[in-house]
Amino acid sequence: MDAAPMILVSSGTQPNPMSPQRNVSVLYGQALRQVGCEAVAMLGGDANHLADRFDGLLLSGGGDMAASFFGQRQHPKANPPDILRDEEELELLEAFCHRSKPVFGICRGLQVINVYFGGDLRQHIEGHDDVTHGVQTEPGSRLSHLCGAHFTANSFHHQAVGQLGQGLHSTAYAPDGTIEGLEHDTLPVFGVQWHPERMIAGVQMDVAADHTKLFSFLWGKDAGR
C-alpha cells in the first residue's frame, strides 16, 4: 500500500511570554483526509528541510499580511500583521517552488502567493466579509475544470489581489471583478479566495457546492502524482 501524501499546513502564531501558540483550523486536516492525505500543522523549522520531507504545501487562511512585504503602507482598516507567519510562509513558498512541489493557497494563502511572485494587494474592500456570492471561472482553467463555470462560494476576507505577480494569471472572479482564483503558468501553484475546506461533503458545507476536488487534484489518488 502506498504511503499517504504528507501535506504541510501553514499556521498563525500567537505570542505568549510563557508559551507561544500556533493556530490553524482542523477543517484543513479533515478535508485532506477526505482525499487520502495526511496533514501536519506547521510548528516551525527550516523551510528547505520541510520542503524535502513533505509532498505539498497548503497555505491556510488567516489575517492580513504586513503591507511592507508588497511595498505599501499599512491601511487603517488592516488587521495587525503576524510578521513571523509572513516571513515563514514566504520562505516555505520559495522552498516548495524551487522543488516544483504543489502549493495550494486558501484565502490569505492566495494573497501570499501573489505577493511572493511580486504582486500586491488591495488592503481593504467592502462586501466580501462573511457573505456568499457567485464566482465565475475562466474557461479552460484548472478551476473551471475542477469547480465548473459558475458556483456560489463563501467569502471571509476584506483584502484582495491587486496587481498580479509574475507568472500568475487570474482564473476566477466575483461579480464585482475581485480576483477569486490564481494559477501559475508553469509551477504546480494555485490559490482560491474562498474557503473550500468549508465546502466539503462530510466535513462542512457552507453552500451547496462540494469542492473536495480542489484538494484531490494536487494531492489525492486522482492527482496523477
Side-chain angles (χ1 to χ4, degrees):
M1 180 180 297
D2 294 337
M6 298 295 292
I7 307 305
L8 183 64
V9 182
S10 68
S11 61
T13 68
Q14 292 181 319
N16 184 302
M18 298 298 292
S19 178
Q21 304 292 310
R22 291 276 183 157
N23 58 77
V24 65
S25 171
V26 300
L27 294 180
Y28 297 113
Q30 294 175 19
L32 287 165
R33 200 166 298 119
Q34 292 286 101
V35 298
C37 298
E38 295 295 339
V40 175
M42 176 66 176
L43 291 176
D46 180 87
N48 286 300
H49 293 164
L50 292 167
D52 285 337
R53 293 289 298 273
F54 285 90
D55 297 293
L57 172 65
L58 193 157
L59 293 173
S60 62
D64 301 338
M65 288 191 77
S68 58
F69 285 102
F70 47 93
Q72 295 180 13
R73 291 185 177 181
Q74 205 79 0
H75 192 282
K77 292 188 177 181
N79 298 318
D82 181 346
I83 299 294
L84 176 58
R85 180 178 188 175
D86 293 344
E87 294 174 343
E88 192 173 75
E89 290 184 338
L90 292 170
E91 290 173 357
L92 287 170
L93 255 171
E94 172 73 23
F96 276 81
C97 288
H98 180 71
R99 291 159 178 78
S100 295
K101 288 190 172 183
V103 177
F104 180 24
I106 292 175
C107 197
R108 168 195 161 93
L110 168 141
Q111 296 169 13
V112 174
I113 288 171
N114 192 55
V115 170
Y116 170 74
F117 285 102
D120 65 15
L121 302 180
R122 298 162 62 196
Q123 291 193 61
H124 184 72
I125 62 173
E126 299 288 347
H128 284 260
D129 190 12
D130 200 12
V131 298
T132 60
H133 60 69
V135 174
Q136 186 76 38
T137 59
E138 195 71 27
S141 66
R142 177 180 293 161
L143 286 176
S144 176
H145 172 70
L146 295 173
C147 303
H150 185 271
F151 54 87
T152 299
N154 56 42
S155 185
F156 299 97
H157 65 103
H158 82 112
Q159 298 198 337
V161 169
Q163 182 69 35
L164 281 173
Q166 186 174 4
L168 297 173
H169 56 280
S170 53
T171 55
Y173 307 90
D176 64 2
T178 298
I179 292 174
E180 292 280 324
L182 292 178
E183 300 177 21
H184 195 273
D185 295 336
T186 58
L187 294 169
V189 175
F190 79 112
V192 299
Q193 187 61 73
W194 63 95
H195 280 264
E197 80 280 4
R198 297 178 58 154
M199 298 167 64
I200 305 290
V203 175
Q204 182 169 323
M205 295 286 283
D206 284 351
V207 295
D210 185 354
H211 281 189
T212 307
K213 288 183 178 180
L214 287 176
F215 296 89
S216 65
F217 180 80
L218 287 180
W219 304 310
K221 295 179 181 180
D222 299 325
R225 288 176 59 82

